[in-house]
């Protein structure tokens, strides 16, 4: 007298969970997520884009440009004027990386590289968000996640999902590149830690400004 009746409710429960609720995908507590859940040109959205373009991408790009200029200048002055520029560059060590440094500096460089890899989560989270909340992902209600239920247009996805995370990925790449160059360029531990600390602040600007806004330091309307 056994019955297969319990199998029907199990099937119904599985079909009702075919779409993941928005709360199952957590956003980072940073200004990029603030841009995702805010309407374009709102105070919150402008705070996010200013943080990205000025404090992170802007400063990071200027740091990379400065590193390139220093390398070209040092390489140009390293050889006689009889060498043309291409010949000088071919005989220079890339980005003036010292060929030999003391053992303690090498250990410090190794430790700071590990810290860079551990703290640069923006690269992974931005790619994960773009893949998980992709436009045609019917199993994820990203429209409800950004506060626009039912609006799953390409424009909405581009402005609210792709644009903030593309910025997040770009600043992560720029800061990571600048960090690695500065680390391998250093031949003194103190200079290494000072430069790395400055870049760490630039990298964490999106989190710092988000927490300042969350605690009310940037006004009551944010």
């Amino acid at each position: 007298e056994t019955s297969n009746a319990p199998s029907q409710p199990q099937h119904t429960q599985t079909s009702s969970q075919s779409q993941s609720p928005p709360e199952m995908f957590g956003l980072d507590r940073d200004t990029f997520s603030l841009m995702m859940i805010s309407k374009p040109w709102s105070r919150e959205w402008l705070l996010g884009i200013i943080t990205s373009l000025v404090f992170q991408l802007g400063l990071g790009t200027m740091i990379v440009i400065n590193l390139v200029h220093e390398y070209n200048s040092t390489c140009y002055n390293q050889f006689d004027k009889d060498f043309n520029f291409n010949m000088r560059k071919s005989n220079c060590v890339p980005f003036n990386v010292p060929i030999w440094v003391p053992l303690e500096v090498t250990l410090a460089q190794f430790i700071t590289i590990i810290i860079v890899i551990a703290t640069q989560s923006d690269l992974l989270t931005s790619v994960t968000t773009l893949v998980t909340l992709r436009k045609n992902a019917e199993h994820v209600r990203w429209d409800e996640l950004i506060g626009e239920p039912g609006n799953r247009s390409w424009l909405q996805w581009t402005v609210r999902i792709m644009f903030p995370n593309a910025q997040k990925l770009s600043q992560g790449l720029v800061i990571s590149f600048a960090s690695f160059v500065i680390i391998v360029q250093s031949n003194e531990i103190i200079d290494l830690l000072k430069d790395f600390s400055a870049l760490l602040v630039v990298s964490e600007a999106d989190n710092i400004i988000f927490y300042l806004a969350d605690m009310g330091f940037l006004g009551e309307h944010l």
Side-chain angles (χ1 to χ4, degrees):
E1 298 180 1
T2 58
S3 175
N4 294 328
S7 61
Q8 184 175 356
Q10 291 178 2
H11 176 73
T12 304
Q13 183 179 6
T14 303
S15 62
S16 65
Q17 294 178 351
S18 59
Q19 284 191 333
S20 301
E23 59 269 15
M24 290 185 64
F25 184 83
L27 296 176
D28 292 340
R29 294 176 60 84
D30 56 26
T31 54
F32 297 104
S33 298
L34 196 62
M35 291 178 65
M36 291 176 60
I37 63 175
S38 304
K39 293 184 179 297
W41 306 110
S42 62
R43 292 187 181 93
E44 296 82 1
W45 191 86
L46 289 174
L47 177 65
I49 198 169
I50 290 173
T51 302
S52 173
L53 294 180
V54 177
F55 294 103
Q56 294 188 296
L57 270 175
L59 284 175
T61 303
M62 287 188 287
I63 291 171
V64 172
I65 292 174
N66 182 256
L67 291 172
V68 173
H69 284 172
E70 285 186 357
Y71 164 63
N72 289 336
S73 176
T74 304
C75 185
Y76 184 82
N77 296 324
Q78 188 174 354
F79 298 97
D80 297 332
K81 294 183 179 180
D82 296 334
F83 281 75
N84 60 43
F85 185 71
N86 291 328
M87 292 179 63
R88 297 181 189 203
K89 291 192 70 173
S90 63
N91 288 277
C92 288
V93 178
F95 288 101
N96 302 320
V97 176
I99 299 177
W100 181 90
V101 293
L103 177 61
E104 62 272 14
V105 176
T106 302
L107 293 176
Q109 290 173 334
F110 179 74
I111 293 172
T112 49
I113 287 176
I114 293 177
I115 296 175
V116 168
I117 296 174
T119 57
Q120 267 302 332
S121 59
D122 288 348
L123 296 175
L124 179 61
T125 56
S126 59
V127 174
T128 302
T129 302
L130 286 173
V131 172
T132 305
L133 304 182
R134 60 191 181 274
K135 170 65 175 64
N136 298 322
E138 299 295 339
H139 64 287
V140 178
R141 299 198 295 267
W142 56 263
D143 51 330
E144 295 185 12
L145 183 68
I146 63 175
E148 298 287 343
N151 189 350
R152 297 174 65 91
S153 65
W154 273 105
L155 179 62
Q156 187 77 269
W157 183 84
T158 301
V159 174
R160 302 285 290 274
I161 304 294
M162 190 190 74
F163 180 63
N165 286 283
Q167 283 191 314
K168 190 174 186 177
L169 178 62
S170 300
Q171 69 85 16
L173 291 172
V174 170
I175 298 298
S176 296
F177 175 76
S179 299
F180 281 116
V181 172
I182 287 179
I183 287 172
V184 297
Q185 273 186 343
S186 303
N187 51 20
E188 293 184 3
I189 295 180
I190 299 299
D191 292 337
L192 168 62
L193 295 179
K194 287 191 298 184
D195 295 338
F196 174 71
S197 299
L199 279 172
L200 189 61
V201 172
V202 175
S203 175
E204 294 295 321
D206 56 315
N207 304 96
I208 296 171
I209 293 179
F210 177 86
Y211 284 117
L212 290 176
D214 188 41
M215 292 185 289
F217 289 105
L218 301 182
E220 297 179 356
H221 300 288
L222 289 174

